Amino acid sequence: MLIFENRNQIEEFLDSERTKNKKIGFIPTMGFLHGGHASLILRSKKENNLTVCSIFVNPLQFDQKEDYYNYPRNINKDIEYLKYLKCDVLFLPSYESIYPPDHKIMSYHFGHLESVMEGIFRSEHFQGVAEVVRILFSIIKPHFAYFGEKDYQQLLIIKELIRQLKLPITIIPCPTIREADGLAMSSRNSLLKEEQRKNASFIYQQLLFAKQNYSKYTPHHLKNIIIENFRKNPIFKLDYFEFADAFNLQPVEKWENHKCVRAFTAARINSVRLIDNIEIFNIRD
Ligand code: AMP
């Protein structure tokens, strides 16, 4: 596996690979890699000649400094894992190579997509995500970029970014990979204490309950049942539980007004904030 820390060097290398007609697949990450990241890398390996993974913990997308400093990191272990997965290239940029001193941060307008759920609880988050992804795309210039449905709102924002900037990149959504008890794999899971980890699958159980029972209730009623379930669980502090249209995140008042609905939730166990979502139904044309 080739490892680049320098922006010009990776650009030069990828430019030369592109002239050999190689298809480039790209997976941007913040590291502390797990099976969710691996699924994106393996999918890219199947569909491209060259798979590039980046690891960069982007300070711009954290609204709290402690969260940024506490974010789990283990570069050596990540490198070993990427070698094991036979990833071709790792881009490991410094802060300065992404945000040089003369860098001007762009501002983005994603409308409704950024004004709900994560957009409410983490105000500058998607602006920071869009900025780093735009910069990484401008360096890697991939043909395909792989994003997890685990961060579904982010996935829609990135698709919108591609549309607005007219970038010739295809976004490939990839399903959420879960632990055996249903907890969505996440770098943040490592911050949970043993007892907290044992209880964390409660989030998935609530999403599954919604999926299995949606036809018996109105969206409003079902949402209230689940909010009440969270309220009764002393371990969690619920940020939100919402049903939203999978295409545009518009709120769901009646199931029958939508073709595809997902349930979204974010909950905290002490300072560890976990997010997850699930498809409730999808009426394919
Ligand atoms: P992160 O390192 O958390 O920024 O995630 C990098 C990419 O991996 C994003 O596209 C995430 O949506 C994706 N990802 C994270 N966790 C999972 C998971 N459990 N299953 C599938 N994709 C995931």
Side-chain angles (χ1 to χ4, degrees):
M1 183 174 69
L2 292 169
I3 302 179
F4 293 92
E5 294 182 1
N6 179 290
R7 173 180 183 148
N8 296 334
Q9 282 171 4
I10 193 168
E11 282 185 316
E12 212 171 286
F13 169 76
L14 291 174
D15 281 348
S16 105
E17 292 300 296
R18 238 175 268 109
T19 61
K20 297 175 203 155
N21 262 341
K22 293 222 178 141
K23 282 263 172 292
I24 299 171
F26 177 45
I27 302 96
T29 82
M30 298 207 296
F32 213 80
L33 302 177
H34 51 69
H37 299 114
S39 73
L40 273 52
I41 289 162
L42 294 177
R43 174 96 185 259
S44 167
K45 280 191 63 68
K46 258 195 214 152
E47 297 175 356
N48 299 281
N49 311 105
L50 201 71
T51 290
V52 181
C53 174
S54 67
I55 298 181
F56 180 66
V57 185
N58 174 33
L60 243 54
Q61 71 188 71
F62 287 83
D63 28 27
Q64 285 176 4
K65 271 207 177 115
E66 307 102 90
D67 191 23
Y68 171 68
Y69 291 118
N70 291 338
Y71 195 83
R73 294 164 171 89
N74 190 338
I75 286 297
N76 292 336
K77 205 167 156 209
D78 285 347
I79 291 175
E80 287 317 305
Y81 193 37
L82 288 169
K83 283 183 182 165
Y84 164 77
L85 295 170
K86 299 199 165 50
C87 180
D88 302 299
V89 177
L90 169 61
F91 183 40
L92 209 52
S94 64
Y95 178 85
E96 289 72 25
S97 56
I98 296 294
Y99 303 119
D102 59 348
H103 178 76
K104 288 207 172 50
I105 294 173
M106 260 181 77
S107 86
Y108 302 87
H109 302 281
F110 297 117
H112 182 73
L113 288 181
E114 64 174 334
S115 68
V116 292
M117 301 188 290
E118 291 302 287
I120 295 175
F121 284 86
R122 305 181 72 192
S123 57
E124 288 304 300
H125 175 65
F126 289 125
Q127 293 290 318
V129 168
E131 184 66 349
V132 77
V133 171
R134 180 185 65 80
I135 294 166
L136 289 168
F137 280 172
S138 75
I139 298 170
I140 309 296
K141 301 180 200 74
H143 299 89
F144 296 92
Y146 296 78
F147 287 85
E149 288 179 342
K150 155 80 168 43
D151 302 284
Y152 194 88
Q153 192 172 1
Q154 166 177 287
L155 173 67
L156 293 189
I157 295 259
I158 302 296
K159 280 188 176 170
E160 180 60 17
L161 177 78
I162 294 279
R163 198 190 64 79
Q164 288 182 11
L165 302 180
K166 301 187 174 62
L167 300 176
I169 300 171
T170 305
I171 301 299
I172 310 286
C174 300
T176 303
I177 305 297
R178 300 181 179 281
E179 303 286 357
D181 66 354
L183 177 67
M185 288 189 181
S186 164
S187 310
R188 290 177 194 274
N189 294 351
S190 66
L191 301 171
L192 296 171
K193 301 203 173 73
E194 201 182 324
E195 201 50 34
Q196 297 173 333
R197 170 62 193 84
K198 274 192 201 149
N199 287 287
S201 65
F202 177 80
I203 296 177
Y204 180 61
Q205 288 157 19
Q206 297 310 303
L207 290 169
L208 212 53
F209 175 81
K211 186 178 175 70
Q212 288 162 350
N213 295 284
Y214 82 91
S215 58
K216 296 182 204 149
Y217 302 100
T218 63
H220 181 72
H221 189 176
L222 185 51
K223 177 176 158 172
N224 283 342
I225 292 174
I226 291 173
I227 290 174
E228 186 56 17
N229 289 347
F230 270 101
R231 206 188 55 74
K232 283 192 262 174
N233 187 327
I235 289 176
F236 289 93
K237 169 104 187 44
L238 181 67
D239 276 355
Y240 60 81
F241 183 93
E242 299 288 352
F243 294 109
D245 188 292
F247 298 106
N248 51 26
L249 301 187
Q250 288 296 328
V252 174
E253 276 164 25
K254 288 183 177 171
W255 303 121
E256 52 275 27
N257 291 350
H258 302 268
K259 285 193 173 149
C260 184
V261 168
R262 296 185 81 94
F264 297 83
T265 190
R268 281 170 285 142
I269 305 184
N270 286 341
S271 60
V272 185
R273 189 168 181 279
L274 302 174
I275 64 168
D276 200 352
N277 70 89
I278 196 174
E279 186 180 271
I280 297 294
F281 64 82
N282 186 357
I283 303 164
R284 289 169 218 276
D285 291 338

